[in-house]
Amino acid sequence: MTAKPFFVHERGICESSHVGDGTRIWAFAHVLPGAVLGSNCNICDHVFIENDVIVGDDVTIKSGVQLWDGVRLGNRVFVGPNATFTNDRFPRSKEYPETFLLTTVEDGASIGANATILPGIAIGRQAMVGAGAVVTKNVPANAVVVGNPAVIIGYQTGPQIVPAVTQTFPGTVGERMSLGVGGSELWRLPHFGDLRGELAPLEFGSNLPFKPARSFLVYGVPSDKVRGEHAHRECHQFLIAAHGRLSVVVDDGHDRKEVSLTEPSIGLYMPPGIWGIQYKFQPDTALLVMASHNYDAGDYIRDYADFLDTVSRDGR
C-alpha cells in the first residue's frame, strides 16, 4: 500500500481522500469523506470537518472547531480554539434546508478564539476577527473587528497619521506630503485666522490638485459605520473634514495608510486606482469631497478582489 502524503494520528479519523501533501490531522479529529483539504494544513485535536467543506493551503485549525457544510476557508487562514461556524439561520431539530448557506473566509484572514461566525458571512482577506466576537455581517478585507455584534475598530495599516495645521510635513514638496500609497498626498491648504475666526479658502485651479466637476457632503454617519469601500478608475478625489473628524484608509493594493482628518485646512488627495475607506466619524463630522468627474457608476470598483485584479492588470 502506498503511504499517504499526509499524516493522520492513530486516534484521528480521515475519511477523505482529497487531502494535500504535508497536511497533519491530529488525535480525535474527524474529517468526513466529502471534505477537501489543501496542503500543509494543521488540523488540531478535536476538530470536526463535515462533507461540503473546502480548506485551502497552509491553514491552521485549532482545537474544538467544527467546520459545517458550506464553509470555505482560503489559503493561510487561522481559526482559533473553539471558534464556532454556523450554516443555518433558523435551525430546527430534524429539519434541514435544501442548501446550506456558504460562509467564506478569504486568504490570510484570522479568527480569534471563541468567535462566532453567522451563516452566509464573508470575511475578507487579511481580516482579523477578535476573540469572542460575534460576526453578523460581512467583514471587509484588512479590517479588525471585535465585540458582539462585531464592529470595525481599525484596519491593518500601521501607525495612524494625524496631521495638524501647525505640524511640519516631513519630506514635503511645497505644502504637500506623499503618503507612499499610489500617489496619495496630504495637502496643507491656505489658512488664515484672527479674532474673528478662521478662514481656509479654496481656489479651483491654484491650490487644489485638479479642477472639481462635482462636490458632495457626507454627514450624519453613525460612529460605528463605514463609508467608501471602493476605488475609481478615472476620477480624482480631494477630501476635507469640513467639521469634526474622521479616519481615512488609502490602499493601492500593495501599501495601506490610515490618516486622521481633523482640520478644515488639511486635505487628502486620492488619485484614481486608490481603494478608499472612511470611518471613525464623530457625531458632528461633515466630510467635504470634491471630484474631478461627474458621477459615473461605471467608474467605481466596489469589490476588493476586482480592485486587486485591476491593479495587477494595469501594473499600478
Side-chain angles (χ1 to χ4, degrees):
M1 179 180 292
T2 303
K4 293 180 180 179
F6 57 92
F7 168 80
V8 181
H9 190 277
E10 61 181 8
R11 288 191 170 90
I13 301 173
C14 181
E15 301 179 76
S16 174
S17 59
H18 303 289
V19 181
D21 293 354
T23 287
R24 296 169 295 171
I25 300 170
W26 294 99
F28 310 109
H30 188 174
V31 181
L32 293 190
V36 177
L37 278 60
S39 301
N40 299 313
C41 296
N42 194 35
I43 312 301
C44 295
D45 292 12
H46 297 282
V47 169
F48 176 71
I49 300 179
E50 215 167 14
N51 283 293
D52 183 20
V53 173
I54 299 175
V55 175
D57 298 332
D58 302 305
V59 171
T60 296
I61 304 174
K62 302 299 285 185
S63 299
V65 173
Q66 299 86 42
L67 302 183
W68 307 111
D69 287 339
V71 172
R72 306 287 187 264
L73 304 184
N75 300 324
R76 303 177 307 283
V77 166
F78 174 87
V79 183
N82 301 304
T84 299
F85 289 87
T86 57
N87 64 0
D88 190 344
R89 288 178 178 161
F90 304 100
R92 298 290 186 186
S93 180
K94 305 299 182 181
E95 296 180 15
Y96 306 101
E98 292 184 6
T99 58
F100 289 104
L101 295 170
L102 291 180
T103 299
T104 304
V105 184
E106 296 183 359
D107 293 354
S110 292
I111 299 173
N114 294 304
T116 298
I117 314 299
L118 266 60
I121 295 295
I123 297 175
R125 65 182 67 199
Q126 296 295 132
M128 180 72 69
V129 176
V134 178
V135 182
T136 62
K137 297 180 180 179
N138 292 344
V139 177
N142 306 304
V144 180
V145 301
V146 300
N148 178 10
V151 295
I152 297 171
I153 62 164
Y155 286 83
Q156 298 178 76
T157 60
Q160 188 180 45
I161 300 170
V162 187
V165 68
T166 57
Q167 176 186 352
T168 300
F169 283 5
T172 57
V173 178
E175 291 296 305
R176 307 194 305 270
M177 180 176 74
S178 172
L179 296 177
V181 181
S184 300
E185 296 176 332
L186 284 172
W187 282 53
R188 191 194 307 282
L189 302 172
H191 174 261
F192 306 95
D194 58 26
L195 294 176
R196 299 169 297 173
E198 309 294 324
L199 177 68
L202 298 176
E203 295 186 4
F204 299 176
S206 62
N207 59 14
L208 288 175
F210 55 85
K211 187 173 183 179
R214 178 172 64 107
S215 67
F216 55 91
L217 285 169
V218 179
Y219 60 95
V221 180
S223 60
D224 62 343
K225 301 302 180 184
V226 176
R227 302 278 309 188
E229 295 187 300
H230 61 255
H232 287 279
R233 303 178 193 277
E234 301 293 338
C235 185
H236 301 247
Q237 290 188 309
F238 196 80
L239 282 61
I240 300 172
H243 191 266
R245 64 186 298 163
L246 73 150
S247 290
V248 183
V249 176
V250 291
D251 181 344
D252 64 5
H254 305 285
D255 299 294
R256 289 183 301 278
K257 292 283 177 64
E258 180 173 331
V259 177
S260 181
L261 295 181
T262 64
E263 299 281 348
S265 61
I266 301 289
L268 172 61
Y269 169 54
M270 294 174 54
I274 297 294
W275 186 266
I277 301 166
Q278 300 99 46
Y279 76 124
K280 294 181 182 176
F281 285 79
Q282 287 187 337
D284 59 349
T285 296
L287 171 65
L288 172 63
V289 181
M290 286 169 283
S292 63
H293 292 58
N294 289 320
Y295 176 78
D296 176 9
D299 189 57
Y300 285 74
I301 306 172
R302 299 188 181 276
D303 181 85
Y304 191 72
D306 290 344
F307 166 70
L308 293 179
D309 289 343
T310 300
V311 168
S312 176
R313 186 172 59 249
D314 294 348
R316 286 176 170 163

